[in-house]
Amino acid sequence: MATQTKRPRVAGPVDGGDPDPVAGFLNWCRRVGLELSPKVAVSRQGTVAGYGMVARESLQAGELLFVVPRAALLSQHTCSIGGLLERERGALQSQSGWVPLLLALLHELQAPASRWRPYFALWPELGSLEHPMFWPEEERRCLLQGTGVPEAVEKDLANIRSEYHSIVLPFMEAHPDLFSLRVRSLELYHQLVALVMAYSFQEPLEEEEDEKEPNSPVMVPAADILNHLANHNANLEYSANCLRMVATQPIPKGHEIFNTYGQMANWQLIHMYGFVEPYPDNTDDTADIQMVTVREAALQGTKTEAERLLAYERWDFLCKLEMVGEEGAFVIGREEVLTEEELITTLKVLCMPAEEFRELKDQDGGGDNKREEGSLTITNIPKLKASWRQLLRNSVLLTLQTYATDLKTDQDLLSNKEVYAKLSWREQQALQVRYGQKMILHQLLELTQVSFPVP
């Protein structure tokens, strides 16, 4: 079975925890009506990372593993200051939408009589979280350059600081009886944001609710004990009164039970959860080509000022069609292009003859968009027009230049087990992220080779 290299959980974000946190948690489960199947166990033994859940007996697909009543969820509604948070809802709005839950956690963590205290005992040690937001900036930039992670972290950190100083701290200072000085800390707020990022759940909207705002995140005891695997064997189901974890495939006795955090590329896993799946286990891995990189490749192919101005005009047209943006990316998986429509339209507009572009622009983009070349899947990239392949290839080459190391350097580190074992945990994780992305990009290089006829 494929495994992840997630850092171990260590109990203890609250003071003076239970000497046996698992026993305390299981007693708490019984009190709140959280029912675990006798066929499963919460354990450190036989798991890929710290606490996890393992099968005591063989399980069949469809078997119920545990049921969490909605009253046992920890959210802005179920916490002991839920009424206040609801009354102040307007003042607590933020870009993330997480402030009410984070305030609930800040309050419950320091409340001696919090009903979730035994649940907190199974949380990871907040000071040991391994998200890149806690790495020194130089280390983060050096190890993850080109992956997209440093840029995502910088945005996170700026948003966290702004949210804390403009909303969270003023709220806590306005209610000193509910928030001790101990929890009025930007460092603790950083840690709780990372914890919510990694361990909370967001209930999906029903199909008829697509226009609604997304549901707020909630903490789901027991469900957040399960580790992640792309090839998972359990899934969380939502109903009106409870949440149910159900086996999705047979699980042999003694094997770990894995949930999925969604279809996550390794750069997303390390950014949001602090771990990766080693190559080639993560079948959901992707590589990004920044949209502005394709524009740069197109501009590099121009020979005159007129051609350069026309390339910018084509780009502006694509922006108007909402196919590209300054901060967007084309997302390439191992077997498919996830941003297929955006990439095929971009290649078409940037490569079409000038006269054809004028006609398309005169039609305001409403012309015949039939894809004569077929859908842009990985397997038919070699069938694209030569000009399209050349532009895509040049974009890949520019993308590869953004990494601090080349594919061979990373390949040599991964293939030498002795050398790999001497790398730090962070170095290993970053290497897996870089290598997975570069393998996808190099596959694109092979598929976009343009052969010229021999004279």
Side-chain angles (χ1 to χ4, degrees), residues 361-405:
K361 193 175 180 186
D362 289 343
Q363 296 166 355
D364 200 28
D368 181 9
N369 286 324
K370 185 177 74 171
R371 297 178 190 171
E372 296 175 3
E373 296 80 7
S375 298
L376 192 56
T377 58
I378 296 297
T379 52
N380 67 20
I381 282 178
K383 301 172 188 174
L384 297 177
K385 293 177 180 178
S387 60
W388 294 25
R389 280 183 283 137
Q390 188 64 58
L391 178 57
L392 183 54
R393 181 179 182 80
N394 292 343
S395 303
V396 171
L397 290 169
L398 287 174
T399 300
L400 286 167
Q401 290 174 17
T402 65
Y403 295 93
T405 57

Side-chain angles (χ1 to χ4, degrees), residues 132-148:
M133 70 165 65
F134 301 115
W135 302 7
E137 183 180 355
E138 178 62 23
E139 183 178 22
R140 183 168 64 236
R141 187 197 60 75
C142 178
L143 294 179
L144 293 166
Q145 180 181 322
T147 63

Side-chain angles (χ1 to χ4, degrees), residues 114-178:
S114 173
R115 64 181 291 233
W116 283 279
R117 208 167 169 80
Y119 162 58
F120 295 149
L122 290 194
W123 271 13
E125 179 65 50
L126 294 179
S128 71
L129 294 172
E130 274 290 359
H131 297 64
M133 70 165 65
F134 301 115
W135 302 7
E137 183 180 355
E138 178 62 23
E139 183 178 22
R140 183 168 64 236
R141 187 197 60 75
C142 178
L143 294 179
L144 293 166
Q145 180 181 322
T147 63
V149 175
E151 295 80 4
V153 169
E154 287 307 313
K155 287 181 185 175
D156 287 346
L157 293 176
N159 289 337
I160 289 168
R161 285 191 294 269
S162 171
E163 197 172 78
Y164 178 78
H165 288 297
S166 64
I167 304 174
V168 175
L169 184 58
F171 184 86
M172 290 194 291
E173 288 176 339
H175 302 281
D177 54 323
L178 299 176

Side-chain angles (χ1 to χ4, degrees), residues 25 28-29 34 36 53 66 68 119 220-226 245:
F25 174 71
W28 177 82
C29 288
L34 196 163
L36 276 76
M53 193 168 285
F66 57 83
V68 186
Y119 162 58
V220 185
D224 56 13
I225 290 173
L226 271 62
M245 189 68 74

Side-chain angles (χ1 to χ4, degrees), residues 263-405:
Q263 292 182 306
M264 295 276 183
N266 267 346
W267 81 265
Q268 294 169 309
L269 285 176
I270 198 167
H271 170 223
M272 296 180 66
Y273 302 95
F275 71 92
V276 302
E277 289 194 66
Y279 187 86
D281 295 349
N282 189 354
T283 53
D284 296 320
D285 210 4
T286 62
D288 286 1
I289 299 174
Q290 296 302 310
M291 290 175 171
V292 292
T293 300
V294 180
R295 180 182 65 189
E296 183 183 348
L299 288 168
Q300 286 183 0
T302 60
K303 297 184 178 65
T304 67
E305 182 63 18
E307 287 181 355
R308 185 175 177 81
L309 290 172
L310 181 58
Y312 275 115
E313 190 179 342
R314 295 171 192 257
W315 181 262
D316 290 342
F317 178 71
L318 286 165
C319 289
K320 184 180 176 184
L321 293 179
E322 298 184 345
M323 288 292 162
V324 297
E326 293 296 314
E327 295 188 358
F330 300 112
V331 185
I332 318 295
R334 291 187 190 171
E335 298 180 358
E336 62 181 338
V337 178
L338 278 66
T339 51
E340 174 193 343
E341 182 184 2
E342 291 83 355
L343 183 53
I344 202 166
T345 303
T346 299
L347 294 174
K348 177 179 180 179
V349 169
L350 292 177
C351 294
M352 65 174 47
E355 304 78 20
E356 193 177 330
F357 171 65
R358 294 290 177 213
E359 289 178 14
L360 181 64
K361 193 175 180 186
D362 289 343
Q363 296 166 355
D364 200 28
D368 181 9
N369 286 324
K370 185 177 74 171
R371 297 178 190 171
E372 296 175 3
E373 296 80 7
S375 298
L376 192 56
T377 58
I378 296 297
T379 52
N380 67 20
I381 282 178
K383 301 172 188 174
L384 297 177
K385 293 177 180 178
S387 60
W388 294 25
R389 280 183 283 137
Q390 188 64 58
L391 178 57
L392 183 54
R393 181 179 182 80
N394 292 343
S395 303
V396 171
L397 290 169
L398 287 174
T399 300
L400 286 167
Q401 290 174 17
T402 65
Y403 295 93
T405 57

